[in-house]
Structures are given as C-alpha cells and as structure tokens.
Amino acid sequence: MKKLFLIIGAPGSGKTTDAEIIAERNNDEIVHYSTGDLLRAEVASGSERGQLIDSFISKGLIVPIEIAIETITSAIKSAPADVILFDGYPRSCEQMNELNKFLDSDSDIELVSVIEVVVSEEVARDRVLGRSRGSDDKEEVFNNRMKVYAEPLADIQSFYESKNLLKKIDGERTIEAIVDEMELYLESKI
C-alpha cells in the first residue's frame, strides 16, 4: 500500500524545498511531487490543457479542480515509491473533497498525515518577493496566492485535525532543523 503525506503551507513556507531534500536523501523509498511543478510541466507541454492551466497559475490563482485533479491523481497512482510526499495540495475545500473521494475509491493509497509548514505572512512575503520567477507583478501574484492559501485554511486544518492527521512544523528555523524534524516524524509514521 502506498502511503501519502500531504505537505501544506503558505507560499514561501519552504515546503517544496523541505520535501525535495527528504526525497533526495531517501531516493529509493520516498518520492516527492509538487502540485505547482506538475501543473507547470503541463503548461510546458504546450497542450491545450497546459494553456488553460497557465491562464490561472501565471496570475497566482487556483487552478479549478476539474482541470487539476487528473494530473494530481495520475502522479499519485504512478508514483515509483511506496511513500509519497505531495506538496501544495489541497488549497481549497473543493480540492480537499475531491482528493478524499479519490482516496476513498483507491484502497491501495492511504493518507497517513498532513504536515503544515508554518511561517508568518511577513516571512512568506519576504521569501516569495525575493525569488526571480519573471513575473511582472510579484506583489499581485503573492497576494493572490496567499489569499488562495489563507481563505480555506481553517476549514482544511479543522478537517484533518478531526481525523488526527494534522502535524504542524515551525518553518522559520534552518532548513536542516525543519528537514530533520520532518524526517523523524515520517519515520514514526511509515
């Protein structure tokens, strides 16, 4: 059975970097997928679906679930390892509900935990605006992405807390400290 760990957190929380490091350290046993990377790969393919996805992510807006769900679930199903770290998803209650439907229908995949990497909005803003991604208006993109993250967060946290699945990690420490804590936690759950 595949074990799925969702990594959530604000833009700039460092969740993707943390998960990438863990996957690299455990490259035969753990695979990492980023929702953003999967969707950007679809954009890079030049497909009609990719162009549609780009019309949302270029503005920092949420990609509608009916467009994103196939890309996401295909990656989970075909993961080459039994432990999957999946970051950047869900970002809405609608996404959460669709993911739960998918997991309920696939007995070979178990959602083991949702790890939230917690940072202040000030730290998130500094990190995101310091990146070079070629956006004409990074501030607007950041604000849109933060709004997407913040609006449904309480409901998402509450849902996973009620199932005893939510683990919060302080994301304002060194990368080494965050990764070490996350790895220890993963080891306790695998």
Side-chain angles (χ1 to χ4, degrees), residues 96-106:
M96 182 177 70
N97 292 335
E98 287 299 317
L99 178 64
N100 292 332
K101 281 186 209 170
F102 163 69
L103 293 172
D104 287 344
S105 70
D106 195 322

Side-chain angles (χ1 to χ4, degrees), residues 3-47:
K3 296 182 181 291
L4 176 64
F5 292 82
L6 300 178
I7 316 292
I8 64 172
S13 65
K15 62 188 178 298
T16 300
T17 300
D18 303 332
E20 280 176 354
I21 291 170
I22 291 169
E24 284 171 11
R25 285 185 185 174
N26 302 273
N27 63 355
D28 291 331
E29 298 167 3
I30 298 176
V31 66
H32 165 247
Y33 294 116
S34 164
T35 307
D37 288 345
L38 289 173
L39 297 177
R40 281 188 287 277
E42 188 75 40
V43 171
S45 76
S47 69

Side-chain angles (χ1 to χ4, degrees), residues 4-9 86-90 96 99-100 103 110-117 153 156-161 163-169 182 185-186 189:
L4 176 64
F5 292 82
L6 300 178
I7 316 292
I8 64 172
F86 205 101
D87 83 69
Y89 187 87
M96 182 177 70
L99 178 64
N100 292 332
L103 293 172
E110 174 193 8
L111 176 59
V112 178
S113 186
V114 178
I115 301 169
E116 182 183 358
V117 182
L153 182 60
I156 290 170
Q157 287 172 328
S158 176
F159 177 82
Y160 290 121
E161 280 175 342
K163 295 187 169 295
N164 201 28
L165 291 174
L166 187 66
K167 164 75 173 170
K168 293 188 180 188
I169 290 180
M182 202 180 286
Y185 178 70
L186 291 171
K189 294 290 184 179

Side-chain angles (χ1 to χ4, degrees), residues 174-187:
T174 64
I175 290 175
E176 292 81 8
I178 298 163
V179 167
D180 287 347
E181 181 183 351
M182 202 180 286
E183 274 192 313
L184 283 173
Y185 178 70
L186 291 171
E187 286 171 14

